[in-house]
Amino acid sequence: MLESTKNSANAQVANPQKVQKVLDRKPISVSIAAGRAGVVPETIVRWCKEHGIGKQLRRKAPWRVDPLGLAIVIAGDGETLDAYRRCEWDNPLIIRYLAGLDRAPAFTPNN
């Protein structure tokens, strides 16, 4: 019965395994995020502050970027970014970005 529950937008509510996958994601460094986004690291730090897609554990610590939030910001998807900021992890708008994260190529630094 819970699997067929619908939210107010008439979309299927995500199953618990997909929601857990959202919650278990690992943060990435600013340099890896910059490589994925094709921007300079300073832009990633700005996005972390403006859009809430990253955090610092203390004042001078390096930023850690959420790859899900990064994907949403790169796509310019304001509606999904709002759901992300409200921590609506079971929102179908957020869940659809998970498939893209699974297919994202690993970042390999140039030697």
Side-chain angles (χ1 to χ4, degrees):
M1 182 171 165
L2 291 175
E3 293 177 9
S4 64
T5 304
K6 305 252 183 184
N7 67 10
S8 61
N10 292 329
Q12 286 284 353
V13 174
N15 67 35
Q17 290 84 11
K18 287 185 180 179
V19 173
Q20 190 60 42
K21 188 175 180 181
V22 172
L23 299 176
D24 287 343
R25 66 194 181 278
K26 304 285 186 222
I28 58 176
S29 70
V30 169
S31 61
I32 291 174
R36 287 186 185 179
V39 297
V40 295
E42 291 79 11
T43 301
I44 299 296
V45 172
R46 189 179 76 239
W47 289 351
C48 287
K49 293 175 183 177
E50 289 176 3
H51 302 295
I53 64 167
K55 65 181 177 181
Q56 288 180 298
L57 296 179
R58 57 189 179 282
R59 185 173 173 196
K60 300 240 178 186
W63 281 91
R64 302 301 291 169
V65 183
D66 181 0
L68 176 62
L70 178 65
I72 294 168
V73 170
I74 290 171
D77 190 345
E79 184 179 358
T80 305
L81 185 60
D82 290 341
Y84 172 85
R85 291 171 122 181
R86 290 189 302 266
C87 300
E88 295 177 358
W89 307 127
D90 62 344
N91 188 316
L93 294 172
I94 291 176
I95 297 298
R96 71 183 172 142
Y97 280 90
L98 290 177
L101 290 179
D102 289 340
R103 292 189 306 265
F107 178 78
T108 306
N110 296 330
N111 291 336

XYZ file of all heavy atoms in Angstrom:
861
model
N 0.810 -1.184 0.000
C 0.000 0.000 0.000
C 0.863 1.262 0.000
O 0.570 2.206 -0.694
C -0.939 -0.025 1.196
C -1.852 1.163 1.242
S -3.090 0.922 2.520
C -3.693 2.552 2.648
N 1.966 1.253 0.752
C 2.830 2.418 0.785
C 3.498 2.659 -0.554
O 3.759 3.794 -0.922
C 3.894 2.260 1.871
C 3.394 2.307 3.310
C 4.537 2.023 4.256
C 2.762 3.634 3.620
N 3.786 1.594 -1.312
C 4.455 1.765 -2.590
C 3.576 2.485 -3.601
O 4.073 3.139 -4.506
C 4.867 0.408 -3.140
C 5.941 -0.246 -2.312
C 6.277 -1.620 -2.831
O 5.807 -1.992 -3.914
O 6.999 -2.320 -2.129
N 2.278 2.378 -3.458
C 1.405 3.035 -4.411
C 0.915 4.395 -3.924
O 0.096 5.024 -4.568
C 0.203 2.133 -4.705
O -0.554 1.956 -3.528
N 1.426 4.846 -2.791
C 1.037 6.151 -2.265
C 1.489 7.240 -3.223
O 2.576 7.205 -3.756
C 1.686 6.381 -0.885
O 1.312 5.315 -0.035
C 1.248 7.697 -0.296
N 0.640 8.230 -3.412
C 0.961 9.347 -4.302
C 1.123 10.625 -3.478
O 0.469 10.804 -2.466
C -0.167 9.552 -5.318
C -0.504 8.324 -6.115
C -0.028 8.484 -7.490
C -0.450 7.264 -8.299
N 0.033 7.293 -9.602
N 2.027 11.506 -3.932
C 2.161 12.799 -3.265
C 1.256 13.812 -3.943
O 0.541 13.501 -4.880
C 3.629 13.247 -3.221
C 4.192 13.571 -4.584
O 3.477 13.654 -5.572
N 5.487 13.760 -4.639
N 1.304 15.036 -3.503
C 0.391 16.062 -4.021
C 0.626 16.383 -5.487
O -0.247 16.909 -6.150
C 0.511 17.334 -3.179
O 1.826 17.829 -3.264
N 1.797 16.070 -6.016
C 2.091 16.348 -7.426
C 1.708 15.170 -8.320
O 2.056 15.129 -9.484
C 3.571 16.678 -7.594
N 0.970 14.169 -7.763
C 0.524 12.988 -8.496
C 1.678 12.173 -9.065
O 1.552 11.557 -10.113
C -0.459 13.348 -9.609
C -1.768 13.838 -9.059
O -2.183 13.410 -7.983
N -2.413 14.719 -9.785
N 2.815 12.159 -8.413
C 3.949 11.348 -8.828
C 4.191 10.272 -7.785
O 3.866 10.452 -6.622
C 5.198 12.222 -8.973
N 4.756 9.168 -8.202
C 5.024 8.078 -7.272
C 6.024 8.531 -6.213
O 7.003 9.192 -6.519
C 5.612 6.870 -8.012
C 4.624 6.107 -8.828
C 3.719 5.233 -7.981
O 3.916 5.093 -6.781
N 2.727 4.670 -8.606
N 5.780 8.140 -4.982
C 6.715 8.405 -3.910
C 7.842 7.394 -4.036
O 7.605 6.224 -4.324
C 6.025 8.300 -2.531
C 7.026 8.436 -1.404
C 4.944 9.355 -2.417
N 9.073 7.814 -3.846
C 10.227 6.951 -4.003
C 10.210 5.818 -2.998
O 9.747 5.977 -1.877
C 11.499 7.773 -3.832
N 10.774 4.689 -3.415
C 10.837 3.574 -2.484
C 11.942 3.826 -1.460
O 12.835 4.641 -1.676
C 11.012 2.246 -3.220
C 12.340 2.119 -3.923
O 13.353 2.603 -3.448
N 12.353 1.467 -5.064
N 11.903 3.127 -0.324
C 12.873 3.384 0.745
C 14.327 3.180 0.342
O 15.209 3.867 0.832
C 12.468 2.398 1.841
C 11.046 2.058 1.558
C 10.877 2.185 0.066
N 14.598 2.247 -0.579
C 15.980 2.017 -1.001
C 16.540 3.237 -1.732
O 17.697 3.601 -1.542
C 16.068 0.784 -1.923
C 15.825 -0.518 -1.218
C 14.335 -0.855 -1.092
O 13.491 -0.218 -1.714
N 14.025 -1.828 -0.267
N 15.723 3.887 -2.556
C 16.185 5.077 -3.265
C 16.414 6.232 -2.299
O 17.365 6.981 -2.437
C 15.184 5.476 -4.344
C 15.195 4.557 -5.533
C 14.279 5.064 -6.614
C 14.297 4.126 -7.807
N 13.389 4.586 -8.858
N 15.536 6.372 -1.327
C 15.706 7.431 -0.332
C 16.983 7.195 0.465
O 17.763 8.116 0.706
C 14.478 7.529 0.597
C 14.735 8.504 1.728
C 13.252 7.943 -0.196
N 17.248 5.947 0.840
C 18.466 5.633 1.591
C 19.702 5.934 0.756
O 20.708 6.415 1.266
C 18.467 4.167 2.036
C 19.576 3.851 3.012
C 19.486 4.668 4.291
O 18.411 4.867 4.841
N 20.608 5.159 4.753
N 19.624 5.693 -0.546
C 20.748 5.990 -1.430
C 21.059 7.486 -1.426
O 22.214 7.892 -1.467
C 20.416 5.513 -2.841
C 21.551 5.597 -3.794
C 21.137 4.992 -5.124
C 22.277 5.061 -6.091
N 21.919 4.506 -7.382
N 20.033 8.316 -1.372
C 20.233 9.763 -1.302
C 20.959 10.117 -0.014
O 21.895 10.916 -0.004
C 18.884 10.520 -1.372
C 19.084 11.998 -1.115
C 18.229 10.304 -2.709
N 20.549 9.505 1.085
C 21.113 9.846 2.378
C 22.522 9.303 2.568
O 23.283 9.835 3.366
C 20.193 9.329 3.491
C 18.780 9.924 3.485
C 17.936 9.267 4.559
C 18.807 11.423 3.653
N 22.899 8.252 1.837
C 24.210 7.620 1.995
C 25.293 8.183 1.089
O 26.417 7.729 1.124
C 24.106 6.113 1.734
C 23.415 5.382 2.845
O 23.299 5.940 3.954
O 22.982 4.235 2.608
N 24.983 9.163 0.271
C 25.979 9.663 -0.672
C 27.153 10.308 0.060
O 27.000 10.868 1.132
C 25.339 10.616 -1.669
C 24.837 11.889 -1.054
C 23.923 12.650 -1.986
N 23.486 13.864 -1.374
C 22.492 13.962 -0.514
N 21.816 12.902 -0.164
N 22.165 15.116 0.017
N 28.323 10.228 -0.552
C 29.549 10.754 0.042
C 29.903 12.096 -0.589
O 29.785 12.268 -1.798
C 30.704 9.780 -0.195
C 30.450 8.378 0.313
C 30.555 8.328 1.801
C 30.430 6.888 2.259
N 29.613 6.715 3.405
N 30.360 13.047 0.218
C 30.756 14.348 -0.343
C 32.041 14.225 -1.157
O 32.829 13.302 -0.973
C 30.965 15.214 0.891
C 31.225 14.268 2.000
C 30.501 12.996 1.666
N 32.235 15.172 -2.067
C 33.438 15.214 -2.890
C 34.179 16.516 -2.627
O 33.623 17.463 -2.075
C 33.096 15.066 -4.393
C 32.140 16.174 -4.849
C 32.516 13.694 -4.693
C 31.828 16.169 -6.336
N 35.432 16.548 -3.015
C 36.239 17.750 -2.800
C 35.873 18.826 -3.825
O 35.251 18.555 -4.858
C 37.726 17.410 -2.929
O 38.039 17.110 -4.271
N 36.305 20.042 -3.541
C 36.066 21.168 -4.439
C 36.748 20.928 -5.778
O 36.173 21.212 -6.836
C 36.541 22.495 -3.798
C 36.554 23.622 -4.803
C 35.662 22.846 -2.616
N 37.950 20.369 -5.778
C 38.654 20.145 -7.047
C 37.941 19.107 -7.909
O 37.850 19.267 -9.129
C 40.108 19.747 -6.798
O 40.183 18.555 -6.059
N 37.426 18.057 -7.303
C 36.671 17.061 -8.069
C 35.376 17.681 -8.589
O 35.001 17.486 -9.749
C 36.395 15.809 -7.219
C 37.699 15.065 -6.964
C 35.376 14.900 -7.893
C 37.576 13.899 -6.009
N 34.700 18.457 -7.752
C 33.465 19.121 -8.172
C 33.734 20.082 -9.327
O 32.958 20.149 -10.287
C 32.838 19.865 -6.993
N 34.837 20.814 -9.254
C 35.189 21.749 -10.329
C 35.453 20.996 -11.630
O 35.041 21.447 -12.706
C 36.404 22.580 -9.930
N 36.112 19.843 -11.530
C 36.357 19.030 -12.723
C 35.063 18.525 -13.334
O 34.896 18.539 -14.557
N 34.137 18.093 -12.504
C 32.845 17.609 -13.016
C 32.035 18.731 -13.651
O 31.354 18.521 -14.644
C 32.023 16.985 -11.891
C 32.526 15.651 -11.441
C 31.581 15.034 -10.444
N 32.138 13.801 -9.922
C 31.537 13.048 -9.011
N 30.359 13.399 -8.531
N 32.106 11.939 -8.590
N 32.098 19.918 -13.059
C 31.282 21.033 -13.536
C 31.951 21.822 -14.655
O 31.289 22.600 -15.334
C 30.957 21.970 -12.375
N 33.260 21.651 -14.805
C 33.976 22.414 -15.821
C 34.144 23.873 -15.465
O 34.132 24.733 -16.349
N 34.280 24.151 -14.165
C 34.467 25.523 -13.683
C 35.675 25.562 -12.753
O 36.217 24.526 -12.394
C 33.205 26.048 -12.945
C 32.014 26.105 -13.896
C 32.888 25.198 -11.733
N 36.061 26.752 -12.344
C 37.182 26.891 -11.419
C 36.703 26.596 -9.988
O 35.516 26.753 -9.679
C 37.817 28.299 -11.499
C 38.433 28.523 -12.874
C 36.817 29.382 -11.179
N 37.610 26.176 -9.116
C 37.226 25.858 -7.735
C 36.532 26.997 -6.992
O 35.634 26.754 -6.176
C 38.555 25.492 -7.067
C 39.392 24.963 -8.181
C 39.008 25.800 -9.380
N 36.909 28.243 -7.292
C 36.273 29.379 -6.630
C 34.776 29.433 -6.920
O 33.972 29.835 -6.068
C 36.940 30.697 -7.046
C 38.353 30.866 -6.531
C 39.410 30.098 -7.344
O 39.090 29.590 -8.449
O 40.542 29.992 -6.865
N 34.388 29.020 -8.115
C 32.968 28.985 -8.478
C 32.235 27.945 -7.643
O 31.116 28.188 -7.173
C 32.801 28.679 -9.979
O 33.470 29.696 -10.723
C 31.331 28.622 -10.374
N 32.858 26.802 -7.421
C 32.247 25.750 -6.603
C 32.031 26.249 -5.176
O 30.963 26.040 -4.594
C 33.101 24.469 -6.607
C 33.234 23.902 -8.026
C 32.546 23.439 -5.645
C 31.928 23.443 -8.654
N 33.024 26.930 -4.617
C 32.881 27.474 -3.260
C 31.737 28.486 -3.218
O 30.922 28.485 -2.289
C 34.207 28.101 -2.773
C 34.015 28.843 -1.465
C 35.279 27.030 -2.625
N 31.640 29.318 -4.235
C 30.536 30.284 -4.300
C 29.189 29.571 -4.361
O 28.240 29.935 -3.664
C 30.710 31.220 -5.504
C 29.702 32.370 -5.484
C 29.864 33.319 -6.651
N 29.308 32.701 -7.849
C 29.987 32.453 -8.976
N 31.252 32.801 -9.078
N 29.403 31.883 -10.008
N 29.096 28.519 -5.168
C 27.857 27.751 -5.253
C 27.515 27.095 -3.916
O 26.351 27.020 -3.540
C 27.951 26.683 -6.331
C 27.935 27.202 -7.738
C 27.680 28.482 -8.154
C 28.191 26.444 -8.916
N 27.775 28.557 -9.520
C 28.082 27.329 -10.018
C 28.521 25.123 -9.158
C 28.277 26.905 -11.337
C 28.704 24.697 -10.464
C 28.577 25.584 -11.539
N 28.537 26.628 -3.213
C 28.303 26.033 -1.885
C 27.651 27.051 -0.953
O 26.700 26.733 -0.233
C 29.611 25.542 -1.273
S 30.284 24.059 -2.029
N 28.150 28.264 -0.984
C 27.606 29.317 -0.119
C 26.227 29.783 -0.586
O 25.325 29.963 0.232
C 28.573 30.513 -0.087
C 29.886 30.205 0.593
C 30.846 31.375 0.476
C 32.190 31.076 1.070
N 33.140 32.190 0.885
N 26.071 29.986 -1.890
C 24.813 30.512 -2.424
C 23.681 29.494 -2.410
O 22.536 29.837 -2.146
C 25.009 30.996 -3.862
C 25.823 32.248 -3.990
C 26.068 32.644 -5.449
O 25.551 31.968 -6.376
O 26.787 33.629 -5.664
N 23.994 28.248 -2.749
C 22.957 27.247 -2.949
C 22.901 26.183 -1.852
O 22.024 25.327 -1.884
C 23.145 26.559 -4.302
C 23.133 27.506 -5.457
N 22.021 28.247 -5.818
C 24.107 27.852 -6.344
C 22.312 28.992 -6.872
N 23.572 28.776 -7.200
N 23.851 26.217 -0.920
C 23.821 25.257 0.176
C 24.136 23.834 -0.244
O 23.598 22.887 0.320
N 25.036 23.658 -1.224
C 25.354 22.317 -1.699
C 26.629 21.744 -1.084
O 27.062 20.664 -1.463
C 25.458 22.276 -3.233
C 26.612 23.148 -3.733
C 24.140 22.670 -3.862
C 26.971 22.931 -5.190
N 27.218 22.464 -0.144
C 28.441 21.997 0.497
C 28.543 22.528 1.902
O 27.711 23.312 2.352
N 29.582 22.060 2.596
C 29.784 22.528 3.967
C 31.252 22.449 4.343
O 32.038 21.752 3.714
C 28.949 21.717 4.943
C 29.352 20.262 5.030
C 28.463 19.520 5.998
C 28.834 18.050 6.020
N 27.998 17.290 6.915
N 31.580 23.197 5.379
C 32.887 23.147 6.016
C 32.663 22.670 7.447
O 31.714 23.119 8.097
C 33.536 24.522 6.077
C 34.017 25.062 4.766
C 34.637 26.434 4.937
O 33.948 27.365 5.358
N 35.900 26.553 4.619
N 33.517 21.796 7.917
C 33.348 21.307 9.283
C 33.769 22.346 10.309
O 33.278 22.354 11.427
C 34.125 20.007 9.482
C 33.636 18.841 8.627
C 34.480 17.604 8.876
C 32.166 18.555 8.893
N 34.688 23.211 9.919
C 35.090 24.350 10.753
C 35.535 25.465 9.818
O 35.613 25.285 8.617
C 36.178 23.955 11.750
C 37.400 23.378 11.139
C 38.362 22.800 12.186
N 39.513 22.243 11.536
C 39.561 21.075 10.932
N 38.489 20.318 10.895
N 40.654 20.649 10.351
N 35.829 26.600 10.357
C 36.034 27.809 9.557
C 37.069 27.662 8.438
O 36.828 28.022 7.312
C 36.403 28.960 10.477
C 36.511 30.250 9.743
C 36.695 31.394 10.672
N 36.962 32.596 9.893
C 37.462 33.683 10.380
N 37.738 33.765 11.657
N 37.671 34.719 9.627
N 38.226 27.146 8.698
C 39.279 27.075 7.678
C 39.395 25.696 7.031
O 40.312 25.439 6.260
C 40.615 27.464 8.299
C 40.620 28.864 8.866
C 41.646 29.685 8.200
C 41.561 31.093 8.774
N 42.409 32.004 8.111
N 38.483 24.820 7.330
C 38.500 23.476 6.751
C 38.124 23.532 5.271
O 37.443 24.461 4.833
C 37.521 22.581 7.506
N 38.555 22.535 4.502
C 38.165 22.520 3.091
C 36.671 22.260 2.932
O 36.048 21.608 3.767
C 38.981 21.365 2.511
C 39.352 20.523 3.669
C 39.421 21.421 4.859
N 36.122 22.791 1.869
C 34.713 22.558 1.557
C 34.531 21.135 1.079
O 35.383 20.585 0.380
C 34.245 23.514 0.463
C 33.957 24.886 0.966
C 34.833 25.935 1.034
C 32.718 25.366 1.487
N 34.210 27.030 1.566
C 32.911 26.704 1.848
C 31.476 24.788 1.680
C 31.895 27.476 2.389
C 30.462 25.554 2.219
C 30.673 26.881 2.572
N 33.420 20.524 1.443
C 32.995 19.217 0.951
C 31.687 19.441 0.213
O 30.767 20.050 0.751
C 32.805 18.231 2.099
C 34.062 18.041 2.948
C 35.244 17.551 2.152
N 35.008 16.170 1.720
C 35.753 15.525 0.835
N 36.783 16.108 0.292
N 35.457 14.297 0.495
N 31.603 18.967 -1.010
C 30.478 19.254 -1.889
C 29.608 18.011 -2.047
O 30.118 16.912 -2.274
C 30.985 19.725 -3.271
C 29.829 20.102 -4.179
C 31.962 20.881 -3.119
N 28.309 18.209 -1.946
C 27.361 17.124 -2.157
C 27.207 16.906 -3.661
O 26.796 17.824 -4.380
C 26.016 17.485 -1.527
C 24.978 16.401 -1.667
O 25.279 15.343 -2.255
O 23.855 16.607 -1.192
N 27.530 15.721 -4.185
C 27.427 15.505 -5.630
C 25.996 15.631 -6.165
O 25.798 16.061 -7.297
C 27.972 14.098 -5.844
C 28.044 13.473 -4.506
C 28.059 14.564 -3.490
N 25.013 15.304 -5.347
C 23.620 15.462 -5.769
C 23.282 16.939 -5.938
O 22.730 17.351 -6.960
C 22.681 14.818 -4.758
C 21.190 14.980 -5.025
C 20.806 14.323 -6.341
C 20.389 14.413 -3.879
N 23.639 17.752 -4.953
C 23.406 19.187 -5.042
C 24.150 19.807 -6.210
O 23.623 20.674 -6.912
N 25.377 19.342 -6.440
C 26.163 19.847 -7.568
C 25.470 19.552 -8.890
O 25.363 20.429 -9.751
C 27.565 19.226 -7.547
C 28.487 19.635 -8.691
C 28.812 21.119 -8.623
C 29.747 18.795 -8.672
N 24.976 18.338 -9.049
C 24.292 17.967 -10.290
C 23.065 18.846 -10.524
O 22.787 19.269 -11.656
C 23.888 16.496 -10.255
N 22.343 19.145 -9.459
C 21.149 19.979 -9.574
C 21.524 21.407 -9.973
O 20.889 22.012 -10.835
C 20.350 19.958 -8.258
C 19.802 18.549 -8.005
C 19.231 20.990 -8.268
C 19.248 18.337 -6.609
N 22.571 21.956 -9.362
C 23.003 23.320 -9.676
C 23.531 23.395 -11.110
O 23.221 24.345 -11.841
C 24.059 23.815 -8.662
C 24.696 25.111 -9.114
C 23.418 23.996 -7.300
N 24.303 22.399 -11.530
C 24.827 22.389 -12.906
C 23.683 22.400 -13.908
O 23.734 23.090 -14.922
C 25.740 21.166 -13.134
C 27.044 21.325 -12.348
C 26.039 20.976 -14.614
C 27.902 20.077 -12.333
N 22.627 21.648 -13.595
C 21.476 21.579 -14.496
C 20.646 22.854 -14.474
O 19.825 23.073 -15.364
C 20.600 20.386 -14.125
N 20.840 23.690 -13.456
C 20.068 24.924 -13.353
C 18.609 24.678 -13.035
O 17.744 25.460 -13.415
N 18.330 23.609 -12.312
C 16.965 23.196 -11.995
C 16.530 23.815 -10.668
O 16.718 23.247 -9.600
C 16.911 21.670 -11.939
C 15.515 21.116 -11.866
O 14.572 21.883 -11.583
O 15.365 19.903 -12.106
N 15.942 24.994 -10.742
C 15.558 25.739 -9.544
C 14.516 25.044 -8.694
O 14.579 25.076 -7.466
N 13.542 24.403 -9.334
C 12.484 23.717 -8.583
C 13.051 22.558 -7.766
O 12.714 22.383 -6.596
C 11.420 23.204 -9.557
C 10.232 22.562 -8.879
C 9.189 22.086 -9.871
O 9.352 22.268 -11.085
O 8.198 21.516 -9.397
N 13.950 21.790 -8.374
C 14.572 20.683 -7.653
C 15.518 21.199 -6.586
O 15.616 20.616 -5.507
C 15.310 19.755 -8.632
O 14.395 19.321 -9.641
C 15.874 18.539 -7.923
N 16.205 22.296 -6.853
C 17.085 22.883 -5.848
C 16.295 23.320 -4.622
O 16.739 23.129 -3.480
C 17.869 24.065 -6.432
C 18.911 24.700 -5.517
C 19.973 23.684 -5.105
C 19.559 25.892 -6.200
N 15.104 23.863 -4.821
C 14.245 24.222 -3.688
C 13.883 22.983 -2.869
O 13.919 23.019 -1.637
C 12.976 24.920 -4.168
C 13.240 26.314 -4.705
O 14.303 26.894 -4.388
O 12.378 26.825 -5.447
N 13.530 21.885 -3.543
C 13.206 20.639 -2.837
C 14.429 20.107 -2.106
O 14.327 19.625 -0.975
C 12.676 19.600 -3.823
N 15.605 20.218 -2.720
C 16.863 19.787 -2.109
C 17.128 20.583 -0.830
O 17.483 20.014 0.193
C 17.996 19.981 -3.123
C 19.381 19.769 -2.575
C 19.933 18.501 -2.518
C 20.151 20.843 -2.137
C 21.215 18.311 -2.033
C 21.419 20.663 -1.653
C 21.953 19.392 -1.595
O 23.216 19.206 -1.105
N 16.935 21.884 -0.886
C 17.180 22.737 0.284
C 16.191 22.462 1.402
O 16.493 22.694 2.571
C 17.138 24.204 -0.116
C 18.302 24.591 -0.988
C 18.096 25.962 -1.536
N 19.206 26.808 -1.153
C 19.288 28.075 -1.480
N 18.340 28.652 -2.162
N 20.336 28.779 -1.120
N 14.982 21.977 1.059
C 13.989 21.612 2.072
C 14.189 20.185 2.576
O 13.401 19.706 3.388
C 12.573 21.757 1.491
C 12.147 23.181 1.248
C 10.671 23.281 0.884
N 10.333 22.497 -0.296
C 10.288 22.960 -1.555
N 10.578 24.230 -1.784
N 9.959 22.178 -2.554
N 15.227 19.509 2.069
C 15.553 18.125 2.458
C 14.409 17.160 2.163
O 14.151 16.230 2.920
C 15.949 18.043 3.923
S 17.384 19.036 4.346
N 13.748 17.345 1.052
C 12.666 16.456 0.632
C 13.265 15.301 -0.170
O 13.118 15.204 -1.378
C 11.642 17.224 -0.203
C 10.925 18.285 0.574
C 9.965 19.103 -0.273
O 9.867 18.890 -1.500
O 9.306 19.975 0.316
N 13.954 14.395 0.524
C 14.718 13.337 -0.128
C 13.855 12.345 -0.889
O 14.340 11.669 -1.778
C 15.596 12.611 0.881
C 16.451 13.534 1.664
C 16.550 13.604 3.012
C 17.344 14.550 1.163
N 17.429 14.593 3.386
C 17.927 15.195 2.268
C 17.686 14.995 -0.112
C 18.848 16.230 2.139
C 18.603 16.027 -0.226
C 19.172 16.629 0.888
N 12.576 12.254 -0.549
C 11.696 11.343 -1.269
C 10.985 12.021 -2.439
O 10.163 11.409 -3.103
C 10.675 10.716 -0.322
C 9.768 11.746 0.322
O 10.105 12.943 0.295
O 8.725 11.353 0.874
N 11.324 13.262 -2.726
C 10.719 14.003 -3.822
C 11.192 13.412 -5.158
O 12.392 13.264 -5.382
C 11.111 15.476 -3.726
C 10.377 16.356 -4.697
O 10.218 16.022 -5.865
N 9.948 17.505 -4.209
N 10.279 13.078 -6.059
C 10.669 12.506 -7.361
C 11.607 13.404 -8.165
O 12.407 12.912 -8.951
C 9.336 12.332 -8.085
C 8.306 12.297 -7.019
C 8.834 13.142 -5.899
N 11.533 14.714 -7.962
C 12.439 15.615 -8.666
C 13.886 15.366 -8.252
O 14.800 15.471 -9.070
C 12.058 17.069 -8.400
C 10.708 17.530 -8.944
C 10.395 18.932 -8.433
C 10.698 17.476 -10.456
N 14.095 15.058 -6.989
C 15.439 14.780 -6.498
C 15.873 13.370 -6.891
O 17.008 13.161 -7.331
C 15.510 14.966 -4.962
C 15.366 16.449 -4.628
C 16.815 14.413 -4.407
C 15.329 16.760 -3.157
N 14.980 12.424 -6.764
C 15.311 11.029 -7.052
C 15.796 10.851 -8.490
O 16.695 10.066 -8.750
C 14.086 10.116 -6.779
C 13.705 10.170 -5.296
C 14.351 8.692 -7.220
C 14.758 9.669 -4.344
N 15.255 11.612 -9.427
C 15.651 11.421 -10.824
C 17.116 11.773 -11.080
O 17.699 11.320 -12.062
C 14.736 12.199 -11.757
C 14.922 13.681 -11.694
C 13.932 14.377 -12.594
N 14.002 15.796 -12.366
C 13.902 16.692 -13.319
N 13.706 16.313 -14.550
N 13.970 17.962 -13.026
N 17.721 12.581 -10.218
C 19.140 12.910 -10.381
C 20.055 11.772 -9.939
O 21.226 11.747 -10.302
C 19.496 14.190 -9.613
C 19.099 15.430 -10.363
C 17.845 15.999 -10.195
C 19.966 16.024 -11.268
C 17.462 17.117 -10.903
C 19.593 17.153 -11.981
C 18.341 17.691 -11.792
O 17.976 18.801 -12.503
N 19.554 10.823 -9.164
C 20.389 9.730 -8.686
C 20.896 8.849 -9.825
O 22.040 8.404 -9.795
C 19.621 8.875 -7.679
C 19.365 9.564 -6.353
C 18.530 8.666 -5.463
C 20.660 9.929 -5.677
N 20.076 8.598 -10.816
C 20.505 7.770 -11.941
C 21.697 8.418 -12.648
O 22.634 7.734 -13.040
C 19.357 7.553 -12.909
N 21.669 9.724 -12.785
C 22.782 10.429 -13.408
C 24.054 10.340 -12.584
O 25.151 10.250 -13.128
N 23.922 10.334 -11.258
C 25.102 10.216 -10.409
C 25.720 8.834 -10.530
O 26.933 8.684 -10.476
C 24.737 10.488 -8.947
C 24.371 11.921 -8.600
C 24.009 12.023 -7.125
C 25.503 12.876 -8.926
N 24.887 7.822 -10.704
C 25.408 6.463 -10.855
C 26.216 6.310 -12.135
O 27.133 5.509 -12.200
C 24.261 5.444 -10.873
C 23.622 5.284 -9.512
O 24.268 5.652 -8.506
O 22.478 4.803 -9.450
N 25.879 7.090 -13.170
C 26.562 6.982 -14.453
C 27.688 7.998 -14.606
O 28.370 8.006 -15.621
C 25.565 7.173 -15.585
C 24.560 6.056 -15.703
C 23.750 6.188 -16.975
N 23.118 7.483 -17.133
C 21.871 7.761 -16.777
N 21.126 6.853 -16.217
N 21.376 8.963 -16.985
N 27.882 8.871 -13.621
C 28.906 9.912 -13.738
C 30.296 9.284 -13.803
O 30.612 8.374 -13.052
C 28.835 10.867 -12.551
N 31.124 9.742 -14.723
C 32.474 9.183 -14.809
C 33.302 9.589 -13.597
O 33.115 10.656 -13.028
C 33.042 9.812 -16.086
C 32.256 11.068 -16.259
C 30.885 10.798 -15.690
N 34.184 8.713 -13.218
C 35.080 9.026 -12.101
C 36.054 10.112 -12.536
O 36.502 10.127 -13.676
C 35.836 7.775 -11.671
N 36.375 11.010 -11.641
C 37.325 12.080 -11.928
C 38.723 11.545 -11.759
O 39.081 10.965 -10.751
C 37.091 13.253 -10.983
C 38.072 14.375 -11.191
C 37.950 15.255 -12.235
C 39.134 14.527 -10.319
C 38.840 16.273 -12.415
C 40.045 15.548 -10.501
C 39.891 16.418 -11.540
N 39.533 11.687 -12.791
C 40.924 11.254 -12.737
C 41.805 12.473 -12.963
O 41.772 13.052 -14.048
C 41.212 10.211 -13.816
O 40.267 9.158 -13.693
C 42.608 9.655 -13.687
N 42.581 12.868 -11.949
C 43.428 14.048 -12.143
C 44.529 13.780 -13.175
O 45.003 12.671 -13.295
C 44.023 14.294 -10.749
C 43.799 13.055 -9.990
C 42.694 12.298 -10.638
N 44.872 14.820 -13.910
C 45.964 14.709 -14.887
C 47.292 14.629 -14.156
O 47.515 15.309 -13.176
C 45.973 15.916 -15.833
C 44.723 15.970 -16.666
O 44.140 14.934 -16.968
N 44.303 17.164 -17.032
N 48.179 13.806 -14.654
C 49.502 13.675 -14.010
C 50.469 14.677 -14.561
O 50.471 15.101 -15.621
C 50.053 12.258 -14.224
C 49.230 11.255 -13.441
O 48.600 11.610 -12.461
N 49.245 10.036 -13.891
